[in-house]
Amino acid sequence: MTGNHEQLQRDAKDHLWMHFTRHSSYAEADVPIIARGERAYIYDVEGNRYLDGLAGLFVTQVGHGRAELADAGAKQAKQLAFHPLWSYAHEPAIELAARLASLAPGDLNRVFFTNSGSEAVETAWKLAKNYFKLRGKPGKHKVIGRNIAYHGTTHGALSITGLADIKAPFEPLVPSTFRVPNTNIYRAAEITGGLMDGSDPEAFGRWCADQIDVAIRAEGPDTVAAVFLEPVQNSGGCFPPPPGYFQRVREICDEHDVLLVSDEVICAYGRLGTMFGAERFGYVPDMITSAKGLTSGYAPLGATIISDRLMAPFLEGEETFYHGYTFGGHPVSTAVALANLDVFEAEDLLGNVRRNEAAFLATLEKLKDLPVVGDVRGTGYFYGIELVKDRDTRETFTTEECERILYGYVSKALWSEGLYCRADDRGEPVIQLSPPLTVGQAEFDEMEQILRRVLEKASQML
């Protein structure tokens, strides 16, 4: 390591507070420092290459090193580097809002720009409460999410999140949030208390959806404002919805005058092979929260996309939605987003995902011959591999085994072998894969081969 590298390590350890990071892990180890990216690969400062199996963080849809996106941002910065959307507008924000409205399902035609997914979720909850107050229903303020689901880090978004461990340090959080079962069909027997074993996906989906109805009735329909659901739930390891699930949820929300928010911070912009995840599963929500893939990470931007009817009360008299962000809808970010969507169209990235998703899944399913692999699930270019202690009984890892095997070995070994992805135990222990939408069979094979080498050894550690 050169002197410059050594200085970088010292400065990283002494001054940089990394996100969601156990810093003690680097007391005796180097901090991985990423220097550049090219197509589906990233390179560290020492020149080592890694396949980006997570698209950064479910973000880099078009891959790394796209000059056209960088050029779009630079061109916009030279023309207008900044102006807020507080009572004023600028061309890239207007053009992007109109473009997203043309792509979104149903009457979701209003776009409120944010900086991130957490802020998009925060916006949706605040709007839901404000909307019902204007409709003469001030008691409707509660929200429902799913067990183990992650919706963000701001106080409101974290309150909706269903992960106790990451909430506890920041409590008390915003009150009036409640959880219902998720759709992990691999764990259907546990989720339903033995009522179902998952062999009838449609019945399981109906049961899961009906728990939302139970929760709304228990709290009182006149107190519940919204339900927040991801099309494919991320945390816990990529839970697709069973057949008919979202159609039943839509019925329940309509019956009780509750808003359905489709949290698509991960699932929008091609991740599931459609521009929006709701399209993939045939439902029309009242709001879509999004971020990440909107710019493929070339600039920060989020968007809450809203039904016309939710905007209607704010078009009358002196009504105002007293909410906003200094950098929301930044000119450079919105210009980059437009260039990103141009790449989607020019290279048919949605079609690429749909044409190759079956091959991606089939390649990952080869790993089921390993004793440690219990389930492989997901949709599009978004998959989770659940690891188990005993495949026959589906017994999961203990806390000690997660520390020793998942974090102590698997996560580090995958990186050493040249694959960047996520090993996680929020819920059951899983490995998540979410590569750029540009990849194909060669990259699928590379992922499978690296995973196989690492998981074969992990199987021996049980």
Side-chain angles (χ1 to χ4, degrees):
M1 182 175 279
T2 68
N4 181 53
H5 291 169
E6 292 171 357
Q7 185 64 52
L8 281 172
Q9 286 295 327
R10 284 197 297 271
D11 288 346
K13 293 180 181 183
D14 291 347
H15 305 296
L16 179 63
W17 198 329
M18 291 174 283
H19 301 198
F20 282 93
T21 298
R22 186 185 296 180
H23 278 258
S24 62
S25 300
Y26 297 118
E28 303 297 331
D30 284 348
V31 176
I33 301 175
I34 308 306
R36 66 184 182 92
E38 183 179 353
R39 299 188 300 277
Y41 293 88
I42 53 176
Y43 297 78
D44 66 20
V45 291
E46 298 180 71
N48 299 308
R49 188 181 84 160
Y50 307 88
L51 176 58
D52 186 356
L54 203 63
L57 193 61
F58 319 106
V59 170
T60 315
Q61 317 293 63
V62 301
H64 299 277
R66 305 297 298 244
E68 58 266 60
L69 271 67
D71 291 345
K75 179 180 178 181
Q76 179 58 48
K78 291 177 183 178
Q79 179 174 328
L80 177 67
F82 175 73
H83 198 82
L85 295 180
W86 299 46
S87 300
Y88 298 87
H90 49 75
E91 288 187 28
I94 295 170
E95 185 179 346
L96 180 59
R99 193 161 177 180
L100 292 177
S102 72
L103 295 169
D107 69 339
L108 276 72
N109 295 314
R110 301 286 180 165
V111 181
F112 192 103
F113 288 115
T114 67
N115 304 294
S116 68
S118 293
E119 290 179 358
V121 170
E122 204 81 14
T123 298
W125 190 3
K126 290 179 73 175
L127 176 59
K129 292 195 285 187
N130 199 165
Y131 168 75
F132 281 118
K133 283 181 171 60
L134 294 178
R135 283 191 46 208
K137 296 184 176 184
K140 291 177 78 69
H141 64 279
K142 299 175 183 177
V143 296
I144 294 171
R146 291 189 290 202
N147 291 335
I148 316 177
Y150 174 81
H151 292 284
T153 57
T154 55
H155 259 66
L158 184 59
S159 300
I160 303 170
T161 291
L163 295 161
D165 288 349
I166 70 169
K167 297 169 70 167
F170 310 106
E171 292 175 335
L173 293 169
V174 183
S176 304
T177 65
F178 304 88
R179 251 63 55 194
V180 295
N182 59 52
T183 61
N184 182 0
I185 197 167
Y186 184 68
R187 298 286 174 183
E190 299 168 35
I191 291 171
T192 65
L195 291 174
M196 299 179 185
D197 61 6
S199 58
D200 186 340
E202 190 168 350
F204 174 65
R206 175 76 182 213
W207 183 90
C208 290
D210 283 344
Q211 302 317 298
I212 296 173
D213 182 62
V214 170
I216 292 172
R217 292 180 187 276
E219 293 303 316
D222 57 346
T223 72
V224 179
V227 176
F228 283 74
L229 305 173
E230 298 166 275
V232 175
Q233 181 173 316
N234 168 45
S235 186
C238 303
F239 307 148
Y245 174 80
F246 274 108
Q247 287 66 37
R248 176 60 182 145
V249 171
R250 180 73 269 180
E251 291 174 359
I252 292 166
C253 289
D254 289 343
E255 178 183 356
H256 297 299
D257 193 20
V258 169
L259 303 180
L260 174 56
V261 182
S262 190
D263 184 355
E264 305 198 13
V265 173
I266 289 176
C267 292
Y269 311 118
R271 181 55 52 195
L272 306 184
T274 50
M275 190 58 69
F276 295 100
E279 297 176 83
R280 183 66 192 263
F281 300 113
Y283 66 97
V284 178
D286 300 295
M287 288 186 267
I288 291 174
T289 55
S290 68
K292 293 188 183 290
L294 177 53
T295 65
S296 284
Y298 284 72
L301 186 65
T304 306
I305 309 172
I306 300 154
S307 166
D308 281 333
R309 70 183 179 89
L310 301 189
M311 176 70 174
F314 297 94
L315 298 175
E316 301 175 3
E318 298 178 359
E319 295 300 342
T320 300
F321 185 37
Y322 290 106
H323 176 69
Y325 305 99
T326 298
F327 296 112
H330 193 283
V332 173
S333 296
T334 47
V336 169
L338 288 165
N340 183 52
L341 294 176
D342 286 344
V343 173
F344 270 70
E345 293 182 6
E347 299 181 12
D348 188 24
L349 294 187
L350 301 182
N352 188 61
V353 173
R354 295 299 289 267
R355 286 188 295 271
N356 288 294
E357 63 178 342
F360 191 7
L361 176 59
T363 303
L364 295 178
E365 285 184 330
K366 293 178 182 178
L367 298 167
K368 283 187 172 182
D369 66 342
L370 300 175
V372 75
V373 175
D375 191 31
V376 178
R377 55 181 176 254
T379 306
Y381 273 26
F382 187 34
Y383 291 98
I385 301 169
E386 182 171 332
L387 307 182
V388 293
K389 186 174 182 177
D390 187 310
R391 193 163 55 191
D392 293 332
T393 65
R394 303 188 181 184
E395 181 182 358
T396 192
F397 289 4
T398 65
T399 300
E400 182 276 330
E401 287 164 341
C402 274
E403 284 294 326
R404 178 169 55 87
I405 300 173
L406 190 68
Y407 295 117
Y409 171 67
V410 170
S411 183
K412 296 174 182 178
L414 289 171
W415 178 254
S416 297
E417 290 280 349
L419 176 61
Y420 167 66
C421 59
R422 169 185 269 184
D424 191 15
D425 68 342
R426 295 179 297 178
E428 311 303 334
V430 297
I431 296 170
Q432 285 186 287
L433 297 160
S434 178
L437 309 185
T438 54
V439 304
Q441 190 61 52
E443 291 81 10
F444 304 157
D445 289 339
E446 185 176 355
M447 281 184 263
E448 189 272 337
Q449 290 158 14
I450 293 173
L451 286 162
R452 178 169 295 279
R453 289 196 295 271
V454 171
L455 293 179
E456 280 178 344
K457 185 170 180 180
S459 297
Q460 299 166 10
M461 298 173 67
L462 289 169

